[in-house]
Amino acid sequence: MPQLTDTDHTDRTDHAIPEPATPDHALPDLDLDPEPAFPDAAPRVDGTPMGAPQEEGPVAAGDTWMTPAEYGASRAALWSGACVLITDPDGRVLVQTVDYRPDRLLPGGAVDAGEAPSAAAAREVYEELGIRDHYPRGLVVDWIPADTPGFEPEMRFPGEILHVFDGGTWDAERIAAIRLPAQEITGVHFAEPADLPGLMHPGDARRALSALRARIDGGGPVLLEDGRPTVPGALDRLGVLRTRRVPQRGDWWEGPAPEASVVHDRASWLFAPDGRVLVLIARDTGAARLPELTPDLVTSAPAPLGHLRAADGVRIRSAARLHALGPAVDPDHVRLLAAPEQVRDLCDWGPAAADQLAAVHAARVRLALPRPPRRPCTELPAEGLAW
């Protein structure tokens, strides 16, 4: 069905090392404020609690008398749509070319009358890509205003509520199984996240990037207004993935690098007490990278982890326990805590990423630290922190 606006995925590293128990000194949550509590019995338009019985007839008192028909007619009507965010193993986003508009779209379309949004998402992916599945996990819900450019006046576009669901990461076998319909969808390809604004309508690109950041954060569905989060998280505030990721590819090797190798960088996986690791985000580009050992970092003695080896040189990696952060010495980067899998999602490491993550989790277990769940990345204070 034309779209007028714009598998379950589990991170797993297989290894036989037993997992340690969660310590009592869990890291405090630094940027997640408790949600405000709403009244259990919010009033209706007539002032009665939601749980109270209503009699037929007018629904408001005083100067606001309305019959049920009048009240129903007063409510705003909006379109409803659903689409699906799908990535390949390199973290690129599946977009479609269509025969009715020049810009690219995520798979999806209109929610039919009486249809649940998740059912519409599954139906649209099957109609457009020939893949039958279900996508129960919502990433974002976006309110699209009625004055959004691009709609013909005769459409009388009233605005739209659009749901984006998580389609997970598709491997080569599933990608090869894509079958396009005879009309409407003319092609698909996987795009680097930073390229989406050049391929999509501005609102669609904002929504797709917000959905991708929400998936990396793992904090549950995010509310958007015209593609912008109403409560931006750290990844949104820093604009991660707005510039192309720098490929850091090669084969993963445990042990020291060959002598006389060209060393591109020496970075460390630095573990906080909750098992998350330190990652640096560039303020000007939103690019993510692992830290080098600098004077503001108080750590245990770093242990060699391995290296990425490519034809043009190596990237050496170590692991250590992070005891404290001093005041930030690098004004160009923001310090975050993230699960190792989230760091992987923010970078472009190629197929060797799985081997590096296995080594990282083995080091974490040796340090007697718990495996962290995927949760929103935490921005650390510039003045420092100690555990």
Side-chain angles (χ1 to χ4, degrees):
M1 179 170 294
Q3 184 178 351
L4 296 171
T5 64
D6 185 3
T7 63
D8 300 334
H9 175 62
T10 302
D11 290 307
R12 179 173 60 87
T13 303
D14 294 326
H15 54 80
I17 302 175
E19 297 288 342
T22 302
D24 295 333
H25 52 277
L27 180 73
D29 192 345
L30 297 170
D31 67 347
L32 300 179
D33 295 326
E35 294 292 333
F38 291 92
D40 292 332
R44 296 190 178 96
V45 292
D46 62 354
T48 61
M50 289 298 290
Q54 283 187 301
E55 298 179 358
E56 295 184 1
V59 298
D63 296 329
T64 58
W65 288 95
M66 284 192 293
T67 66
E70 291 169 336
Y71 177 69
S74 74
R75 295 298 301 268
L78 298 174
W79 291 1
S80 182
C83 55
V84 179
L85 180 81
I86 298 163
T87 56
D88 68 3
D90 290 330
R92 299 176 301 172
V93 178
L94 186 150
V95 292
Q96 302 178 148
T97 55
V98 296
D99 59 13
Y100 55 90
R101 57 188 287 179
D103 45 342
R104 308 294 195 272
L105 298 171
L106 297 181
V111 175
D112 291 341
E115 186 179 35
S118 61
R123 173 181 54 77
E124 289 284 349
V125 170
Y126 178 65
E127 291 175 356
E128 296 177 348
L129 302 179
I131 302 295
R132 191 184 297 277
D133 206 339
H134 67 289
Y135 311 99
R137 183 183 174 219
L139 295 175
V140 300
V141 179
D142 193 10
W143 172 80
I144 303 170
D147 60 357
T148 298
F151 292 92
E152 299 295 335
E154 55 268 27
M155 288 183 179
R156 299 181 180 180
F157 178 61
E160 184 171 17
I161 300 297
L162 199 147
H163 305 256
V164 182
F165 293 90
D166 187 1
T169 298
W170 286 16
D171 59 18
E173 181 179 0
R174 172 160 280 206
I175 293 170
I178 292 175
R179 297 292 181 269
L180 302 183
Q183 58 184 8
E184 183 182 343
I185 311 302
T186 59
V188 298
H189 74 279
F190 287 88
E192 179 69 17
D195 293 342
L196 295 179
L199 297 172
M200 307 177 82
H201 181 278
D204 294 345
R206 287 195 298 270
R207 184 183 316 113
L209 283 171
S210 292
L212 184 56
R213 292 170 187 147
R215 189 170 92 171
I216 293 171
D217 254 346
V222 172
L223 298 180
L224 309 179
E225 292 181 355
D226 198 17
R228 301 177 178 91
T230 58
V231 183
L235 301 185
D236 300 301
R237 294 193 301 270
L238 296 169
V240 301
L241 300 174
R242 72 179 186 271
T243 57
R244 291 182 66 88
R245 299 169 298 168
V246 177
Q248 297 183 6
R249 305 221 169 180
D251 297 324
W252 176 256
W253 292 73
E254 296 188 6
E259 293 184 9
S261 296
V262 176
V263 178
H264 293 300
D265 64 58
R266 299 175 184 270
S268 293
W269 291 88
L270 302 180
F271 291 92
D274 67 351
R276 291 189 290 173
V277 296
L278 185 66
V279 60
L280 303 181
I281 306 296
R283 294 182 185 274
D284 60 343
T285 66
R289 68 174 178 86
L290 292 171
E292 299 177 359
L293 293 176
T294 52
D296 59 319
L297 305 176
V298 181
T299 72
S300 62
L305 192 66
H307 62 278
L308 281 168
R309 187 187 303 177
D312 61 346
V314 299
R315 300 178 185 275
I316 297 175
R317 300 291 177 258
S318 59
R321 185 163 185 158
L322 185 61
H323 297 303
L325 296 173
V329 298
D330 180 1
D332 297 329
H333 289 83
V334 175
R335 301 178 294 188
L336 300 184
L337 285 184
E341 286 75 16
Q342 291 171 311
V343 179
R344 184 270 321 275
D345 292 345
L346 296 173
C347 300
D348 182 6
W349 294 338
D355 295 331
Q356 184 172 183
L357 280 181
V360 169
H361 282 294
R364 173 187 56 77
V365 172
R366 287 194 295 270
L367 292 169
L369 296 173
R371 186 185 188 105
R374 188 179 287 261
R375 52 176 296 193
C377 298
T378 301
E379 183 174 348
L380 298 173
E383 59 270 23
L385 177 70
W387 291 285

